[in-house]
């Protein structure tokens, strides 16, 4: 038997989350952001659910190639654009739309020989200070793009640094409006946080949600995913492979970071940091054992972690080797443990946990809502 740890990708949840975001986005078309192998969920796995999006956005040319091979004929956007001139050949042959965020990319495009006119997303730096043109640079790039026979369409875009905060986009929006004044083009502003928290202010022709599609809250812990009507798209589940009875004063795991304050029944779970579970999850991080929240105890090791079984025993449930454990997502009983809660306990974000799901974890795809 393989190790009992399994990740389940819930396609009905992805479809549901996409529909929620669509509703929130009004008339805007929706890019499904599938970079980083669909935030760790697997492009090939999520594709049957996300093909209902209006476009798919990624970073990696290999991911774009894969999506075309899977049969995606719709708009496909490279969020960081081209990394070197010859990437443009692939953009031409696969009809990839690409972000243009610095002048070298314009030079490459001007020198590119193609019969296939390109659609580009011209990026403004609204204060994130990673990628994008400043206001004068944007005007110059706009003029250059419009003079290029290689270019057929230009969409204006920006990316907010603080859209998870209620007051986080005002200054950026002001800068954006000034910089783009008078330019007639489709617009694309919002990631998940902007789509959910600032729907009206960021209304445009396109939105670009990622994390919300996968069922985490972009503004956690202010809101929970459920507050936005989102469902978890990934469950990481395993089983107990041993139990121990701790005497008062006994310690658990490497470094003995947990000391039992009283006699304690604990379970050992087949899940460790080599599966993608965060090693920094401290004592008390919630874990579902047979649908009941139990606290993690001791240091997470490579292949195992430990939980105090008191809460599940208090409910009179028999528990032992083989008992169901949910690290995040949904248990068979329907109990949910939001990935955002685990991330917060471990002082990280759901994005990182999803993306870190290890290749050794077996993955199954749930096509229909289980009843
Ligand atoms: C990743 C990314 C997104 C999606 O962000 P989420 O916070 O996951 O919704 C949108 N736009 C750009 C440019 C990105 O790189």
């Amino acid at each position: 038997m393989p190790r009992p740890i399994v990740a389940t990708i819930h396609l009905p949840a992805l479809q549901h989350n996409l529909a929620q975001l669509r509703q929130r986005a009004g008339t805007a078309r929706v890019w499904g952001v599938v970079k980083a192998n669909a935030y760790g969920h697997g492009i090939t796995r999520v594709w049957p659910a996300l093909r209902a999006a209006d476009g798919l956005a990624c970073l990696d040319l290999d991911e774009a190639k894969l999506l075309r091979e899977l049969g995606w004929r719709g708009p496909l956007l490279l969020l960081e654009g081209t990394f070197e001139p010859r990437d443009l050949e692939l953009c031409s042959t696969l009809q990839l739309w690409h972000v243009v965020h610095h002048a070298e990319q314009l030079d490459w495009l001007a020198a590119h020989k193609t019969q296939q006119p390109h659609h580009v997303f011209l990026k403004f730096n609204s204060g994130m200070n990673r990628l994008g043109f400043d206001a004068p640079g944007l005007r110059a790039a706009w003029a250059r793009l419009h003079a290029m026979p290689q270019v057929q369409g230009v969409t204006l875009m920006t990316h907010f640094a603080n859209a998870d905060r209620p007051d986080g986009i005002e200054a950026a929006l002001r800068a954006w409006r000034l910089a783009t004044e008078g330019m007639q083009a489709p617009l694309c502003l919002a990631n998940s946080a902007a789509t959910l928290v600032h729907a009206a202010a960021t209304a445009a022709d396109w939105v670009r949600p990622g994390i919300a599609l996968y069922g985490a809250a972009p503004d956690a812990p202010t809101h929970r995913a459920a507050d936005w009507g989102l469902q978890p798209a990934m469950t990481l589940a395993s089983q107990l492979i041993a139990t121990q009875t701790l005497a008062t004063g006994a310690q658990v795991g490497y470094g003995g970071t947990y000391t039992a304050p009283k006699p304690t029944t604990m379970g050992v779970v087949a899940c460790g940091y080599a599966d993608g579970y965060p090693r920094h999850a401290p004592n008390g991080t919630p874990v579902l054992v047979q649908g009941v929240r139990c606290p993690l105890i001791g240091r997470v090791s490579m292949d195992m972690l430990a939980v105090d079984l008191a809460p599940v025993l208090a409910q009179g449930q028999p528990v032992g080797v083989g008992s169901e454990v949910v690290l995040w997502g949904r248990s068979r009983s329907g109990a949910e443990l939001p990935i955002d809660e685990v991330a917060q306990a471990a002082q990280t974000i759901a994005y990182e946990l999803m993306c870190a799901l290890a290749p050794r974890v077996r993955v199954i795809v749930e096509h229909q809502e289980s009843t």
Side-chain angles (χ1 to χ4, degrees):
M1 184 180 139
R3 272 175 87 234
I5 187 165
V6 175
T8 304
I9 306 303
H10 307 289
L11 297 191
L14 284 162
Q15 284 163 332
H16 166 89
N17 296 339
L18 176 59
Q20 283 300 106
L21 285 154
R22 240 189 220 302
Q23 212 170 39
R24 197 80 194 162
T27 56
R29 285 188 283 173
V30 180
W31 291 109
V33 177
V34 296
K35 64 188 179 190
N37 201 21
Y39 291 47
H41 294 64
I43 284 181
T44 308
R45 297 184 195 112
V46 302
W47 142 259
L50 295 189
R51 64 191 302 170
D54 300 298
L56 296 171
C58 59
L59 302 182
D60 211 294
L61 280 88
D62 284 338
E63 292 183 337
K65 241 189 270 181
L66 171 62
L67 284 161
R68 286 295 186 227
E69 281 161 16
L70 288 170
W72 177 249
R73 302 260 164 273
L76 191 39
L77 176 65
L78 294 175
L79 287 166
E80 292 179 357
T82 48
F83 301 102
E84 56 175 333
R86 63 169 191 181
D87 292 347
L88 287 165
E89 285 158 30
L90 206 64
C91 293
S92 291
T93 50
L94 297 183
Q95 299 194 34
L96 309 182
W97 299 7
H98 48 103
V99 170
V100 170
H101 61 81
H102 65 69
E104 284 82 350
Q105 288 176 327
L106 288 168
D107 298 340
W108 303 340
L109 197 50
H112 178 54
K113 292 189 176 52
T114 181
Q115 306 298 319
Q116 201 48 257
H118 286 214
H119 193 116
V120 302
F121 272 48
L122 176 58
K123 185 164 188 175
F124 173 63
N125 171 11
S126 57
M128 172 87 94
N129 290 316
R130 291 189 317 192
L131 305 182
F133 293 96
D134 62 9
L138 192 79
R139 296 234 163 237
W142 170 264
R144 268 190 88 184
L145 285 169
H146 280 87
M148 277 185 207
Q150 292 91 339
V151 175
Q152 190 178 48
V154 179
T155 296
L156 290 165
M157 75 175 284
T158 193
H159 189 52
F160 297 112
N162 297 301
D164 54 329
R165 299 210 305 255
D167 61 350
I169 65 164
E170 282 161 30
L173 262 184
R174 266 198 304 279
W176 159 261
R177 289 203 184 107
L178 268 176
T180 59
E181 206 178 340
M183 299 180 182
Q184 291 300 318
L187 307 176
C188 178
L189 290 80
N191 59 358
S192 298
T195 304
L196 294 174
V197 183
H198 305 280
T202 61
D205 300 274
W206 287 95
V207 293
R208 310 184 302 271
I211 193 71
L213 287 172
Y214 304 99
D219 61 342
T222 308
H223 288 99
R224 294 168 305 170
D227 296 334
W228 296 118
L230 304 171
Q231 300 173 357
M234 181 194 290
T235 292
L236 181 62
S238 188
Q239 292 179 2
L240 295 185
I241 55 168
T243 59
Q244 301 281 348
T245 307
L246 301 173
T248 304
Q251 296 182 332
V252 177
Y254 290 114
T257 59
Y258 179 83
T259 304
K262 55 178 195 267
T264 301
T265 305
M266 60 158 251
V268 178
V269 182
C271 176
Y273 61 77
D275 299 302
Y277 194 87
R279 181 175 172 278
H280 290 101
N283 288 323
T285 302
V287 175
L288 296 180
V289 180
Q290 294 184 161
V292 180
R293 277 168 182 258
C294 295
L296 182 143
I297 55 176
R299 202 175 272 166
V300 173
S301 51
M302 184 184 285
D303 312 306
M304 284 175 269
L305 57 81
V307 288
D308 178 351
L309 296 174
V312 61
L313 291 167
Q315 296 208 350
Q317 290 199 36
V319 58
V321 170
S323 288
E324 182 209 38
V325 176
V326 167
L327 289 314
W328 57 72
R330 204 188 314 135
S331 80
R332 281 196 290 268
S333 67
E336 265 184 31
L337 177 57
I339 191 169
D340 286 317
E341 267 190 62
V342 181
Q344 205 201 353
Q347 296 188 47
T348 181
I349 52 176
Y351 299 71
E352 192 182 26
L353 298 188
M354 293 172 180
C355 291
L357 182 73
R360 79 173 189 181
V361 176
R362 202 156 47 93
V363 181
I364 59 181
V365 177
E366 180 201 56
H367 291 268
Q368 233 121 60
E369 206 92 48
S370 52
T371 45

